[in-house]
Amino acid sequence: MTDLNSRLANAPVVPLVQADDPKIAVATTRALAAGGLTVIEVVLRTPSSMDCLSAICDLDDDIIVGAGTVLSAEQASTVLDQGAKFIVSPGLDESIVQIAQENNIPVFPGINTPSEIMKARNLGLNMLKFFPATIAGGIPALKAFGSVFGDVKFMPTGGVSAGNLADFLALENIVACGGSWLTPAAAIAAGNYDAISRLAEEAVSIASSVAK
Ligand code: 3PG
């Protein structure tokens, strides 16, 4: 967890990479890293997403690659075999958490209620994905969670953008924000990887301007 934590402390933004072609996934990841974001979540939402994850994990680059949209224990095991260094899931599933814990791999299950936070906390977790962040109460919800779960940190995703990133990151109980705004499908389709690097640079600059 230490590597991931220190990387996120430096640049607390986790871009989603969704691709169906490993070459495009690699180019997107490298564009993000060139812009300063080196913790990447590859989402399992396309037929070739496992191949994309594997290709990125095989890179020699200094990037921490996780798998997102992990929906089952079977997928959790497979992404670890491919080399994923952390697991993100939209919801809280104990079998996924168990596989991650058995393998000593950070896992961010998605939660958006106090009962789910308690369940996750009682499974031994203290960093959770807050999803879908803006729909599930956004910043007021995170403040309310902070008042009762002082030992839990959150990674909001779902509706986070350059426009609200600073507001999320300013909260004490935020470890990082995640999202797809850094990897717009139109830029990828156009092969405009410079645009992706610029979005990453913008996010890094917003994050560094937030004083806690
Ligand atoms: C996720 O899986 O974290 C969300 O799909 C991200 O939501 P976004 O597309 O609104 O950033």
Side-chain angles (χ1 to χ4, degrees), residues 182-204:
L182 300 140
T183 51
I188 294 172
N192 187 358
Y193 294 105
D194 286 348
I196 290 172
S197 294
R198 283 196 297 275
L199 287 168
E201 278 166 17
E202 178 189 37
V204 170

Side-chain angles (χ1 to χ4, degrees), residues 16 41 43 45 68-69 88 90 129 131 134 156-161 178-181:
L16 265 55
E41 177 185 332
V43 291
R45 297 185 195 171
T69 322
V88 185
K129 170 177 163 120
F131 176 77
T134 50
T157 77
V160 182
S161 66
S180 65
W181 87 94

Side-chain angles (χ1 to χ4, degrees), residues 49 54 64 115 121 136 141:
S49 49
S54 176
I64 297 181
S115 298
R121 195 174 163 282

